[in-house]
Amino acid sequence: MHIAILTFEGYNELDSLIALGVLNRVKTDDWRVTIATPGPRVTSMNGVVIEQMSTLEEACAADAVIVGSGIATREVTEDPAIMNVLRGLDPSRQLIAAQCSGALVLARLGLLDDIPACTDLTTKPWVVAAGVEVLNQPFHAKENIATAGGCLASHYLAAWIIAHLGGNDAAEGALRYVAPVGEKEEYIERAWRNIAPYLPAPAPALA
């Protein structure tokens, strides 16, 4: 399984790196999580430089993709070279998630038609202007597309992806690892309350 986190110039560290950390709690040989960037390296909104782990083209072939957020997302959506590549994203064959202003990328790609979205308060007017209903909640998903609003909702996206690709127990284990000491049960309960309604129903037990 390959999960790619799209990370652009001016990225928000919390959005890309929290998801990276939570997703990497899955320790199986076929599980790979990468930072996908347009070029060899990108610099965050606070000056943190990270190097490319995978390309945008490779991300379009991944099993799951998180579109990260940042201070230059509108510029990303106006870059034909980037957007032409991202048109290869396909929810019929991969999980696609967007964190905060990443929802604007999905909206501009036409992936949120008839799907409400979650995003941060700064990005909300731009997503609404793109014709998408914005919800006042941290997480929403429909079939293979999910969005989250607020930097600290990034673990919801990660857990949603893990639950789909690795099972609910793996998702709970990842959340338990990162949850604050003394608050683990409360933290996990809140996470499940937000994501469980959007997960596939478990298969009925065999008679």
Side-chain angles (χ1 to χ4, degrees), residues 63-77:
D63 299 283
V65 176
I66 294 177
V67 183
S69 185
I71 59 173
T73 304
R74 283 190 294 175
E75 287 82 352
V76 168
T77 64

Side-chain angles (χ1 to χ4, degrees), residues 63-172:
D63 299 283
V65 176
I66 294 177
V67 183
S69 185
I71 59 173
T73 304
R74 283 190 294 175
E75 287 82 352
V76 168
T77 64
E78 294 166 0
D79 187 324
I82 291 176
M83 295 300 282
N84 285 338
V85 173
L86 297 186
R87 287 188 178 90
L89 295 173
D90 184 355
S92 72
R93 58 176 176 77
Q94 58 188 168
L95 300 174
I96 299 176
Q99 176 68 41
C100 289
S101 64
L104 181 61
V105 175
L106 298 192
R108 295 283 178 82
L109 290 171
L111 295 177
L112 294 179
D113 292 349
D114 301 320
I115 301 177
C118 301
T119 189
D120 62 279
L121 298 180
T122 300
T123 306
K124 178 179 177 178
W126 308 330
V127 176
V128 170
V132 176
E133 177 190 0
V134 173
L135 303 173
N136 184 32
Q137 61 191 59
F139 179 86
H140 178 269
K142 182 178 180 181
E143 298 175 348
N144 284 352
I145 295 179
T147 52
C151 301
L152 295 182
S154 56
H155 66 292
Y156 295 156
L157 289 182
W160 177 79
I161 288 174
I162 294 171
H164 271 276
L165 300 181
N168 290 1
D169 289 346
E172 182 171 334

Side-chain angles (χ1 to χ4, degrees), residues 8-66:
F8 304 102
E9 194 69 21
Y11 73 93
N12 185 318
E13 304 94 334
L14 295 175
D15 293 343
S16 288
L17 300 183
I18 289 178
L20 179 76
V22 176
L23 287 163
N24 269 314
R25 294 315 308 163
V26 177
K27 302 297 184 183
T28 59
D29 291 341
D30 65 343
W31 190 269
R32 182 168 69 105
V33 186
T34 65
I35 297 292
T37 62
R41 60 188 57 83
V42 289
T43 302
S44 79
M45 58 194 295
N46 294 305
V48 179
V49 179
I50 55 176
E51 294 189 354
Q52 182 182 70
M53 298 171 68
S54 64
T55 65
L56 300 185
E57 290 83 359
E58 289 172 314
C60 288
D63 299 283
V65 176
I66 294 177

